[in-house]
Amino acid sequence: MADKKPVENGSTDTEVGVVSRKEYEKLKRRAIRFEPTNFGFILVIPCEGEHDWCEMSDYSALYYKYYVCEQLGVPVRMTDDLDSFYTQYEIGRVRVKGYNSVRKRLEKLGMLKAEETRDRCVIFQLNKKFTKAEREGFLEEEKEKQANANRIVRVEFSDPALYQKMVEAATRLHRVCMRRMDKLASITNGKRMVELADDMIRGYYDMSAMDQNDKEKIMAGWHKLQKQATQLLVEMQIVASLKLWTRENCIEIAENIIDIKNRIEGHIKRESDRFKERD
């Protein structure tokens, strides 16, 4: 193990130094390979130019957030990695100013067993090995917090299953359009699909606030969702024809959208019958 390099001020920690985009992507790929079998380490890599920022990802980030910082009462925000195009973390990342900020917190709690530096990455070995169940517990807690953060607007409407399917489709499209397309396709085909999926969720929110007895608005809302689902299927057909995705990706997403469209058309029929009976 390499000797520790204590620094008086984590905000001016010169251990990190300058990192190029190419080097960052290389170190990031290494971190992604490391994390699935990580049961007792916090791997920290340099991530941003000359500003001494570094980051930890996936299980390293979960250990740091839930095993270290929670005990210190330090708020830590874990973010997704959707802004990355080719190489994305599976769970997310936590960024800190300097390796020493991590080191000092581990030492304060007596959690640091050993430390090693490899190619400018620092591997902090914890004095504990986590079980698979403990790892999954951290992951489930993070997922729950992210889900709660996304519940900004309360939605009460007639088909929560439809809403969930639309959210799943939009989430999948956001990820696939960023990760599985080249730059040109991402900003053209991908952009159109993501915007359509987001607009459908927005339309569902709008309909949840409508007077459910307002025939004109309700029927217009359902027909708009139907049209958007159809447009999304057309966009999917274009992507499939151009072979921008694998056949499996196309089928998986298209099947979900077809189900969404069928559910919407079922609502159109039921709402139409309801209004006829009322009239």
Side-chain angles (χ1 to χ4, degrees):
M1 290 289 181
D3 293 336
K4 297 176 188 176
K5 303 175 183 178
V7 180
E8 291 183 1
N9 187 339
S11 65
T12 58
D13 185 342
T14 56
E15 288 181 86
V16 181
V18 178
V19 58
S20 67
R21 183 68 187 180
K22 184 176 181 181
E23 182 183 13
Y24 169 62
E25 291 294 335
K26 178 182 176 182
L27 295 174
K28 189 176 180 182
R29 286 192 293 271
R30 179 181 297 176
I32 290 171
R33 292 193 300 271
F34 174 81
E35 290 301 330
T37 56
N38 176 13
F39 285 88
F41 299 88
I42 294 178
L43 170 62
V44 189
I45 70 172
C47 67
E48 186 178 315
E50 300 178 353
H51 299 97
D52 286 322
W53 283 99
C54 50
E55 70 185 22
M56 60 209 82
S57 62
D58 295 345
Y59 289 106
S60 288
L62 290 174
Y63 301 154
Y64 183 69
K65 179 176 181 178
Y66 292 105
Y67 183 61
V68 179
C69 292
E70 269 201 357
Q71 294 193 52
L72 293 171
V74 176
V76 171
R77 187 168 68 96
M78 193 165 180
T79 61
D80 60 38
D81 194 26
L82 295 177
D83 57 334
S84 299
F85 183 70
Y86 292 109
T87 310
Q88 286 190 339
Y89 296 127
E90 184 67 26
I91 302 170
R93 65 188 176 198
V94 170
R95 287 190 167 176
V96 293
K97 191 82 165 176
Y99 299 131
N100 205 42
S101 58
V102 180
R103 181 184 294 116
K104 288 194 296 185
R105 286 173 179 170
L106 290 171
E107 289 177 336
K108 184 174 182 178
L109 293 171
M111 294 179 175
L112 182 58
K113 181 176 181 181
E115 177 184 329
E116 182 178 357
T117 301
R118 295 182 190 173
D119 296 332
R120 301 180 59 214
C121 302
V122 179
I123 305 172
F124 297 103
Q125 183 179 359
L126 304 175
N127 59 8
K128 171 183 173 60
K129 282 199 174 237
F130 296 99
T131 65
K132 185 175 181 181
E134 287 174 321
R135 285 201 335 167
E136 293 307 306
F138 291 146
L139 179 57
E140 288 305 311
E141 187 172 352
E142 179 62 25
K143 285 181 177 179
E144 184 177 350
K145 286 186 177 180
Q146 291 180 7
N148 288 335
N150 289 333
R151 295 188 189 111
I152 300 170
V153 179
R154 186 176 180 182
V155 178
E156 294 180 357
F157 202 41
S158 56
D159 193 343
L162 171 62
Y163 172 75
Q164 185 58 41
K165 283 183 174 293
M166 288 195 293
V167 169
E168 288 172 0
T171 301
R172 181 70 173 157
L173 284 167
H174 272 275
R175 292 187 181 278
V176 176
C177 290
M178 289 288 290
R179 298 174 65 178
R180 305 291 175 84
M181 284 182 162
D182 59 42
K183 188 173 182 180
L184 177 60
S186 180
I187 63 176
T188 53
N189 305 79
K191 183 173 182 291
R192 290 196 299 271
M193 287 190 290
V194 166
E195 287 178 346
L196 275 169
D198 286 355
D199 282 344
M200 290 180 71
I201 296 174
R202 189 176 297 111
Y204 192 94
Y205 278 122
D206 289 342
M207 290 181 69
S208 71
M210 291 179 186
D211 178 354
Q212 299 305 301
N213 290 315
D214 189 325
K215 177 181 177 181
E216 184 176 339
K217 286 185 178 180
I218 289 296
M219 294 307 295
W222 283 120
H223 282 295
K224 183 179 179 181
L225 287 176
Q226 180 191 35
K227 181 179 179 181
Q228 289 171 326
T230 302
Q231 288 176 319
L232 199 46
L233 285 171
V234 171
E235 292 293 341
M236 287 293 306
Q237 184 61 51
I238 294 171
V239 167
S241 299
L242 296 177
K243 294 182 169 56
L244 297 176
W245 288 339
T246 63
R247 181 173 178 273
E248 289 75 17
N249 278 331
C250 290
I251 291 174
E252 181 182 356
I253 299 175
E255 284 179 345
N256 192 12
I257 297 169
I258 289 170
D259 190 13
I260 289 170
K261 184 172 180 289
N262 289 338
R263 284 175 175 270
I264 291 169
E265 289 172 349
H267 276 287
I268 289 174
K269 183 179 186 307
R270 287 191 293 275
E271 290 298 307
S272 179
D273 291 343
R274 179 170 73 90
F275 287 120
K276 283 180 182 177
E277 291 175 2
R278 190 193 68 177
D279 294 341

